[in-house]
Amino acid sequence: MGGDLKVLRDNVQKMIKIKYRKGLSTPEIIAQFIVMEENENEVEEFKKYWLEQGATVKIRPKLGWGAAVESKVLDSMGEQTERFPCAWLTRTVSIHWDGSFSQCDADHDGLYSPGHLDSNSIKEVWDGKLAELRGRHWEGDFDFKPCNTCKDWMAGRSYFFYPEKG
């Protein structure tokens, strides 16, 4: 709320300039573009702009939040993409406002909660039920809810573009 795109853009540009002026290799500054039906024609313009600024550019499709939101981009990728482990299950922990964990973004209602902050630490949940589910993904087993009907794993296939050095 109350965000200002121009202020944000100016601040990121300042940070990039400071990084290069000081000859630093970190932090890596990534400008992410989420492809949706409404903006898919703007990808090349976004990529060109931020690469010229010196940022790394990440392009990825919009999530469907399980089956909650239609994502035509994910639907079109489905036929041509071999199933792989989901980035949201293998790299993230989702915790709801009430302290309940969520298996992933597709479990936005917390129907498959692997624990609660009242009785579990983040490490316990990460190393417990979520570790079991991650292991199933790494073994190629996606036959459990909500993974068996979700397409958000495809959004984990992002494309990165790097600015030219110098």
Side-chain angles (χ1 to χ4, degrees), residues 101 114 116 119-131:
F101 287 83
H116 197 285
S119 54
N120 306 104
S121 70
I122 294 171
K123 182 170 178 30
E124 287 171 333
V125 172
W126 181 257
D127 291 343
K129 182 66 175 174
L130 288 179

Side-chain angles (χ1 to χ4, degrees), residues 47-68:
K47 192 167 73 171
K48 181 179 184 299
Y49 177 83
W50 283 108
L51 287 173
E52 287 175 354
Q53 301 304 312
T56 297
V57 175
K58 177 182 179 183
I59 308 290
R60 76 159 179 84
K62 119 180 159 179
L63 295 174
W65 295 92

Side-chain angles (χ1 to χ4, degrees), residues 3 17 28 32 41 44 55 67 101-102 106 130:
K17 286 178 184 168
E28 180 178 17
Q32 178 175 258
N41 62 327
E44 290 306 315
F101 287 83
S102 166
L130 288 179

Side-chain angles (χ1 to χ4, degrees), residues 6 22 43 54 57 80 91 93 97-100 109 128 131 142 146:
K6 182 180 178 342
K22 291 186 172 201
V43 172
V57 175
Q80 61 204 15
R91 296 191 313 225
V93 173
W97 64 272
D98 65 354
S100 64
D109 289 326
F142 311 103

Side-chain angles (χ1 to χ4, degrees), residues 5-21:
L5 181 60
K6 182 180 178 342
V7 171
L8 172 70
R9 187 178 9 234
D10 290 348
N11 286 338
V12 172
Q13 288 170 333
K14 286 176 190 173
M15 194 164 57
I16 292 169
K17 286 178 184 168
I18 291 169
K19 174 185 165 181
Y20 284 106
R21 187 178 69 234

